[in-house]
Amino acid sequence: MNIKIILIILVSYLFGSVPWALVIGKVFYHKDIRTEGSGNLGATNAGRVLGKPAAVAVTVLDALKAFFSMMIAHAVLPGSEIFAGLACCIGHCFPVFAQFRGGKAVATSYGFMLGICVFLTQQYLTQFLLPVVSFFGILYLTKMVSLSSIASLLIEVIVSFVLAFTGKIEMNIAVSLLVLWAFVTYRHKANIERIMNGTESKVKWMG
């Protein structure tokens, strides 16, 4: 494998490993959110434990991790952007800086999708705006971040395969999004069980 790709994957993984929910909680609120709420280092638990401003900040910063990873990859080795984005998402879920206990890569996935649009496809309406609108629409109806995340990413996967089959984007992009959706869905397996049992938590801080 090209040494540049290896370095890009490593750097992107380290970018993804920055636990912004933990940093913001400790620096600004003097709390370790790993010991409260669900214990997850993601925006949902940050909102549950720290409040809406913290949730928004964590969401933006987690998304930017993937986007900047892909931006660096695009500048150093065009064609490696997907590797960088996926490595960042893995780093977010298994961060070396937080004992490999991270989040579920939802916000990071949206940064990945934005990077795909900016650096690879320019399909902003169908590959970024549509999943974002879908996420908030489903969230408004269900108040469940987990369900909104899984469903909106699935919509993005379906749309991307349609674009790939019609020749508007490369097939490897659609496949990478399918892999990411499967990974994010697996990370939500406990949430899926609670959704099926009718016991999944509903967000109150976004109301």
Side-chain angles (χ1 to χ4, degrees):
M1 184 180 287
N2 189 310
I3 187 65
K4 285 187 177 180
I5 292 181
I6 294 174
L7 290 174
I8 285 168
I9 290 172
L10 177 59
V11 170
S12 298
Y13 168 78
L14 293 175
F15 261 41
S17 288
V18 177
W20 284 117
L22 181 62
V23 172
I24 289 173
K26 286 195 169 185
V27 172
F28 296 102
Y29 298 87
H30 308 293
K31 289 185 177 182
D32 184 340
I33 73 166
R34 293 174 298 183
T35 64
E36 300 187 44
S38 67
N40 186 264
L41 285 180
T44 301
N45 197 44
R48 184 180 295 119
V49 176
L50 306 174
K52 186 185 293 186
V56 172
V58 171
T59 298
V60 172
L61 290 170
D62 281 348
L64 288 177
K65 291 193 297 190
F67 181 81
F68 282 128
S69 295
M70 296 174 76
M71 182 174 70
I72 292 171
H74 184 73
V76 174
L77 187 65
S80 65
E81 298 90 351
I82 288 175
F83 294 104
L86 291 176
C88 185
C89 291
I90 292 172
H92 176 78
C93 293
F94 306 106
V96 67
F97 303 128
Q99 294 79 50
F100 302 100
R101 293 174 51 214
K104 298 176 182 176
V106 175
T108 317
S109 294
Y110 277 89
F112 178 69
M113 288 188 286
L114 180 61
I116 284 176
C117 291
V118 172
F119 303 117
L120 297 175
T121 69
Q122 287 75 54
Q123 298 284 341
Y124 296 97
L125 179 62
T126 53
Q127 288 200 286
F128 186 71
L129 184 59
L130 177 61
V132 168
V133 171
S134 299
F135 174 86
F136 284 107
I138 297 168
L139 183 62
Y140 176 78
L141 295 173
T142 67
K143 296 295 187 293
M144 290 186 283
V145 173
S146 55
L147 179 59
S148 305
S149 303
I150 295 168
S152 61
L153 287 175
L154 179 58
I155 290 170
E156 167 65 0
V157 169
I158 294 169
V159 169
S160 294
F161 271 101
V162 171
L163 292 173
F165 281 120
T166 55
K168 294 182 179 178
I169 67 172
E170 297 292 328
M171 180 60 73
N172 66 328
I173 294 173
V175 171
S176 71
L177 288 165
L178 176 61
V179 170
L180 182 59
W181 172 79
F183 180 63
V184 171
T185 300
Y186 173 77
R187 293 287 291 170
H188 282 86
K189 59 184 184 298
N191 302 84
I192 293 171
E193 290 180 8
R194 290 194 295 270
I195 290 171
M196 295 178 68
N197 294 332
T199 58
E200 175 68 338
S201 299
K202 296 186 178 182
V203 293
K204 297 184 174 103
W205 50 269
M206 296 186 75

